[in-house]
Structure formats: C-alpha cells, structure tokens
C-alpha cells in the first residue's frame, strides 16, 4: 500500500475498564494499546491517519514483552520504504491492523474526515449495524442483572461469557432466561473462550442445546484440531471458532484448518486474525465452504472499533446477523471523538440529529433530480413570518457556478454544510457541491458547527452567530483559522468579530444577498490587506439606488426581474456599495428617524448580547428599546454606556432583560418577535 509522503509516530496508552471484564482466562482491569499516528511530510498536502494496535497479552500471536520495540522497528521500516506491504507483516496481525487502519484513516483525511475509513450506507447514517449485547462473567446475581439491563435496552441477541463460575450455575441462569424469554424474543449465544475440556465438552453442549442456543464460541482450548473436528461433527448446537484462528496467518494453513475442523461458524476479529486483509481471507474461505461468520471487536478502544465497524458494514452491507461490536465503549478515558452510538440493538455512525440531517440532504438531492423545474425554499423570517417560495433549479445552478468561480473552488474541495435545508443558504451549499464536485461535510445545524470536526474544511458558509460561538472555543477557533475559504452571511459582522478574524491566513468574506437572489450576489473581504467596508458585486450583477435610497439589484442569471430591496445603501465607484441599514428598521422617535442597525453597530462594545428594537410611545411615537441577555439586572450600567456611545436622541428609553434574544433559525435577529416581546414587557 503506497501513499503520499508520510511519517509515523507511536503513542502508548493504558485504558482502564469501567468495570472488571471477566472471561475464562481471567479478569481484565486495564488494557494496553499503542496508537499509530500517520502524518504528511509534504507541507502542501495535509492529512492525518490514526490507527490502533491492541494486542491481548494472553491471546495475540504477536505479543511479547518486547512488543513496543518490535512495533517501532516495523513502523520505522514502513516509514523508510514509504510502503505498507500487508503480506510481509501478516504474521504480526495486531501491528498490521494498526497500520492498515492508519493508512485508511489518512485516505479518509484527504477526503475530509480521518475517521471515515470505509464509506458505506453505515457511514452515511442510513443504516445501523445490528449487534449483540454482551454479558460478562460474574456472580449469578451479577449476570442476571446484566442480562436484564441488555434486554431492557432492546437487544434481541445476547452473548453470555461462560466458564468463570461453575457450569451448573451458568446453566441455571440460561434455564431461567429461557423460561422468561423465548428464542423468538432473544437469541442467545455463549462464549466459553476455550474453557471446556475435550472430555466434558460434548456433555455440556448437550445440556446447552436444550435451551435454543444459537451457537457456542470456542468450547475447547485452541490448537486441538482433531478434538475440535470431532466436536463440530457431532455437536447438537453450532460451534464457532474464535481463538482457534489466532496465529494461523498463512493462507494454506487457513485452508487446512477449515478443511480439518469444518466448523459451523467462524468469528472474525481483525486485530487478532490477520488485520483486514487476513480477516478478508478467512471470510472468503468460509464462504467457499458454506461456513457462516460474523465480526467482533477484541476489546479495542473506539479507534479500533470505529475501523472494524466500518469494514464490517462495507464488506457485508446487507447482513442482518448481529455482530459483536459493543466492546469498544468499555473504557474510561476512551477515544471519544469516534462518531459511534449504540441505540437499541444497533450501532450507528453519528448522532440521531446528524443522521436525520444526512437523510434530509439525500432527500433534497432526490428532489433536485426530479424532472420539475423548481424547488421550494423559505425566507428567513427576520422581519416577519417566513414565506414559501418556488425557485428555478437552472438559476440556482448558475448562482452556484458564479460562486465557485468567484471563490476559486475546485473539484474535490471539502465544503461544510451546517445550514437548515429549508432556507436558500443550506440548499445552495448542496447545489454548489453538485455543480463543482465538492465533498460535503454535513453537520446538523448548530451554533458550534466545528465542535465535532477533526479536520478543517476547505470551504465553509456560516452565520455571524456561528462564527461568534466558534471563536470562543480554542479547538474550534483553530479549525476555523485553517479553513481555506470562509463566507459569512445572514447578518451584520461586528467590528469586534472583524478584528478577531483580521489576521486569519485565508480569505474570509461577508456576503450580501437574500432568498430572492438565490443566496449572495456580492462579497466583501473582511480580513487581510484587501479588507474592505464595501461590497463588490459578482460577475453579471448590477446595482443601483431606488428613489427611496434603497438598493436595486439586476442579476438576470438568478432573477429575471429587477429587485428593489429594503436595504438603505450608498453607491461607491467601481460598482461597489455599502449597506447602511434596512428601511423597515427605521424608528421614528420624536420626529427623528433612527436606524436600528446603525445604533447596534455603535453599541458592539457593550460586552453583552443585545438587540435594538422599539415600542409604541404616547409622547415620542416610538421609543428605542434595548433587549439584553444577562443573569442579573444591568439596566443602569448599560444606560451609562449607551449615553457615552450614542447621541442624545438615540439612547434607549427602556432596557429589558430577557432569557434569550429572539433569532431566526438561520441566526438573524428576529425583529418582529423582538418588538412583540418589548411591547409585552413595556405595556
């Protein structure tokens, strides 16, 4: 496996189990793993890969006291040759598993997400992987309690670890469970981990078979091929090989083992059974012989579990057989960034909200492909109720092409989509991706769209509120800083925000547009030496002023009509323009016209979230009112500041503390709702 120039780093970790994990081989309290970090050595190409080497000291064929040194030697050789030869390292399955995962992860990084290794319906959030619940060994009472917990969570298949307490007690537990839950309600699997002897195994399998057991894993210790073959030939319930496959890494040996033992099932554990290539060989040989199989993890952290789950989903996309993938979340201080969630009896990639958003995107693409000329969008509702509009697909496509050209976006660039698809901003990100071959990074709409990202997108479109919240968190701010092109729309950018972004290394633009113009028709650079306080129209866009001084837009590619806006504007040389405020956001107080946005701009240093609105006033007609979010009353303090920053007639007459400022779904101030709230409080 060749890759772009890279280097490797090894990070050892010791993971603590949340609760002791008992097997027939003993009790695990902690777990030693080694993470492999693969990074680019080319400053022009950024990627990161993460893999996990997670040998079990009493099972893995490649583990000994010199494991870490051997791993460092293998990584040094791979780094020296700049090539991963999977066949060369097949005798070191846990190391090969970590390296293969790191390389897959790096490829995912180049595509926008280093945690997405095997794209499938699973990683798109369209399908969950059915899994079994796992009940660890313990006392009779403990195992009963754990079983009830799994059933309460909705598992339809439960695996019991047996062999730690006496067999009669374990059999009594199984008898009790079957008396309460039929095989139609719950499928029972048992795992002896080699805990039976060849002598007592046949009798014990007969006893277990009375209770509709799906299968038993590794009833006797591995390495006893003839004894295991006899057991499989005469067993009253299916036998699955697990530990038996460990150390059998040669292809011909694999053939010989399966032909000799003839099991009913094999259990595939990539970190123990030859990494992904070796496990794939086992799978192929089993299929040829009509032997069933399923995949399980082997007490890896979420790094390894994430890789195994994705591999499992990609190679066996339509299986309904429960897999053994519930063991990666057993540790304290686990790798929490992996987007894996267990809901009911399925493992899912992404949260329910994230999956719903991904499905919404796919549904939108389906709508786009329908042979109808228009799609439905909604206005933002910043000055009233949102309105439904029909817009032409061909004009949306032309708008997308204009933006792609203006921003220099290229096929393969990653694009962050974190806007609701009801509105034009969200829909246009999807259309731009389709028109320009961009790779969408969908994030369910949130005020912190970078919170769970691990790589900076090439392109992002955010609201001022999203930028404001992102700048507060160091990790998110760092990713925002590395975003190659950022556009900010849907509201005014404060001087403080502009200052915070001024030294960011990549282009950042404020956009001007509306639903009727199919997103933006003009850009204003807000960082770097070319920062400007005026907008420059995109190619094919002309602007002018109405008799009332509001901006008029003629953009035939996106709207056949000349649009007269409510935005009060100032025209500048070269076709540029500056927005002064909205005509419908003018407050007439005592016969003096005051622009809400102008007042807000001059109050940006207040140090509190606020909005300016107005209420009816018997004497003044309308009275300027300031709504603010705070835990305590700050009216006097704010009044003092406002009198310093504003003119005599602009100072608010009322200061109203609110629990939450009204905003639209896209983050804009909800002006009509703000006025309603103020009127209720003042009258």
């Amino acid at each position: 496996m060749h890759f772009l120039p890279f280097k490797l780093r090894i990070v050892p970790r010791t993971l603590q189990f949340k609760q002791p994990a008992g097997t027939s081989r003993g009790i695990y309290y902690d777990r030693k793993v080694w993470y492999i970090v693969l990074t680019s050595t080319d400053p022009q190409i950024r990627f990161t890969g993460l893999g996990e080497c997670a040998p079990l000291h009493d099972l893995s064929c490649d583990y000994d006291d010199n494991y870490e040194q051997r791993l460092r030697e293998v990584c040094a050789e791979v780094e020296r040759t700049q090539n991963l030869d999977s066949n060369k390292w097949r005798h070191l399955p846990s190391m090969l598993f970590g390296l293969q995962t790191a390389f897959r992860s790096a490829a995912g990084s180049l595509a926008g997400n280093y945690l997405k290794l095997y794209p499938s319906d699973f990683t798109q959030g369209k399908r969950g992987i059915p899994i079994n619940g796992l009940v660890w060994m313990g006392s009779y009472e403990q195992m009963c309690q754990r079983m009830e917990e799994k059933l309460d969570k909705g598992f339809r298949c439960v695996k019991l670890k047996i062999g730690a307490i006496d067999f009669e007690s374990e059999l009594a537990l199984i008898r009790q469970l079957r008396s309460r839950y039929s095989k139609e309600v719950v499928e029972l699997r048992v795992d002896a981990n080699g805990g039976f002897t060849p002598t007592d195994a046949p009798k014990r399998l007969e006893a277990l078979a009375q209770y509709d057991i799906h299968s038993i894993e590794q009833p006797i210790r591995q390495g006893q091929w003839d004894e295991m073959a006899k057991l499989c030939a005469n067993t009253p319930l299916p036998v699955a090989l697990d530990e038996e496959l460990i150390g059998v890494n040669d292809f011909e040996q694999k053939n010989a083992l399966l032909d000799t033992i003839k099991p009913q099932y094999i259990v595939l554990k990539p970190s123990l059974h030859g990494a992904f290539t070796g496990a794939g060989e086992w799978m192929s040989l089993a299929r040829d012989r009509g032997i069933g199989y399923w995949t399980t993890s082997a007490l890896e952290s979420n790094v390894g579990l994430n890789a195994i789950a994705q591999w499992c989903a990609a190679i066996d996309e339509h299986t309904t057989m429960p897999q053994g993938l519930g063991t990666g979340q057993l540790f304290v201080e686990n790798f929490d960034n992996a987007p894996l969630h267990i809901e009911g009896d399925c493992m899912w990639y992404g949260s329910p909200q994230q999956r719903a958003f991904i499905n919404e995107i796919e549904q939108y693409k389906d709508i786009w492909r329908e042979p109808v000329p228009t799609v439905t969008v909604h206005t933002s509702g910043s000055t009233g109720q949102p309105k439904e509009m029909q817009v032409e697909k061909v004009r949306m496509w032309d708008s997308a092409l204009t933006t792609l050209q203006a921003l220099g976006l290229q096929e393969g660039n990653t694009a962050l989509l974190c806007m609701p698809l009801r509105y034009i901003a969200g829909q246009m990100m999807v259309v731009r991706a389709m028109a320009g071959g961009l790779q969408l990074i969908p994030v369910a709409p949130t005020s912190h769209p970078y919170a769970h990202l691990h790589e900076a997108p090439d392109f992002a479109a955010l609201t001022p509120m999203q930028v404001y919240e992102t700048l507060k968190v160091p990790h998110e701010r760092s990713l925002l800083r590395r975003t190659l092109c950022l556009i900010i729309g849907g509201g005014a950018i404060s001087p403080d925000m502009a200052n915070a972004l001024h030294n960011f290394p990549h282009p950042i633009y404020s956009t001007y547009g509306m639903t009727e113009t199919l997103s933006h028709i003009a850009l204003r650079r807000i960082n770097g030496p070319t920062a400007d306080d005026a907008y420059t129209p995109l190619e094919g866009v002309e602007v002018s002023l109405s008799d009332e001084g509001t901006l008029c837009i003629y953009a035939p590619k996106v709207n056949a009509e000349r649009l007269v806006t409510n935005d009060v504007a100032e025209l500048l040389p070269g076709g540029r323009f500056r927005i002064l405020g909205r005509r419908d956001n003018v407050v007439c107080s005592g016969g003096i016209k005051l622009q809400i946005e102008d007042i807000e701009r001059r109050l940006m240093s207040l140090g509190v979230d606020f909005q300016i609105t107005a209420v009816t006033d018997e004497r003044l007609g309308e009275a300027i009112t300031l709504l603010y979010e705070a835990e305590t009353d700050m009216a006097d303090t704010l009044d003092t500041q406002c009198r310093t920053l504003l003119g005599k007639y602009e100072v608010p007459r009322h200061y109203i503390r609110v629990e939450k400022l009204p905003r639209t779904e896209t983050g804009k101030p909800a002006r009509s709702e703000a006025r309603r709230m103020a009127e209720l409080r003042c009258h």
Side-chain angles (χ1 to χ4, degrees), residues 6-11 34-40 47-52 75 79 98-99 102-103 105-106 114:
F6 65 88
K7 61 182 178 181
L8 297 171
R9 180 165 58 92
I10 298 170
V11 183
W34 289 263
Y35 294 124
I36 295 177
V37 182
L38 185 153
T39 53
S40 169
F47 58 81
T48 299
L50 180 64
E52 177 182 1
C75 287
E79 186 177 295
L99 285 162
F103 274 80
S105 174
Y114 80 113

Side-chain angles (χ1 to χ4, degrees), residues 548-559:
E548 291 78 24
T550 59
L551 191 71
C552 301
I553 302 168
Y554 181 58
K557 284 188 176 181
V558 298
N559 197 312

